[in-house]
Amino acid sequence: MADTRVVLAGLWVAVMLVYLWGDVLRIMAGDVQFGKLGGEQPAQVAWLGIAALMLIPIVMVVLNLVLPRDPIRWANIIIALVFFVMNLVTLPSYPPLYDKFLLVVSLVFNALTVWYAWNWAE
């Protein structure tokens, strides 16, 4: 079996790609207005917040490969749970079926991340 660090890094890559694929499908389906969120023009600080939030899975890939076991183990559990709850809460607000499907897939990846991190043997 692959090293737990590699599995966790791979799960974060998968989460990131699911989010990106959802964005691509929203653009292709015409479900977005460029420069707007929910029909409103957000402030630059909102875009900064979105950028920081979406950077987390990318940073987790790197941290899983370089940090010691104990801190990254807990970081995986906590951050994956935060993403799980965030996606679960926002699931009803995404009307397209493809969005709901991709969010459920990301929930599975987040749950697997928590499971692998929780069961990470020394």
Side-chain angles (χ1 to χ4, degrees), residues 40-120:
E40 302 287 327
Q41 176 65 42
Q44 287 297 307
V45 70
W47 289 118
L48 178 61
I50 292 166
L53 184 67
M54 291 299 101
L55 190 63
I56 291 171
I58 298 167
V59 170
M60 287 302 292
V61 172
V62 175
L63 294 181
N64 269 292
L65 299 174
V66 299
L67 285 183
R69 176 191 170 271
D70 287 338
I72 195 58
R73 177 176 178 256
W74 285 107
N76 275 291
I77 292 167
I78 293 165
I79 294 170
L81 284 173
V82 167
F83 271 70
F84 186 93
V85 170
M86 181 181 65
N87 287 329
L88 192 61
V89 167
T90 60
L91 185 62
S93 68
Y94 286 93
L97 189 56
Y98 66 84
D99 258 336
K100 291 185 186 306
F101 172 72
L102 289 174
L103 278 175
V104 169
V105 170
S106 75
L107 291 172
V108 171
F109 288 149
N110 289 142
L112 285 170
T113 300
V114 171
W115 188 86
Y116 272 99
W118 187 264
N119 293 297
W120 192 348

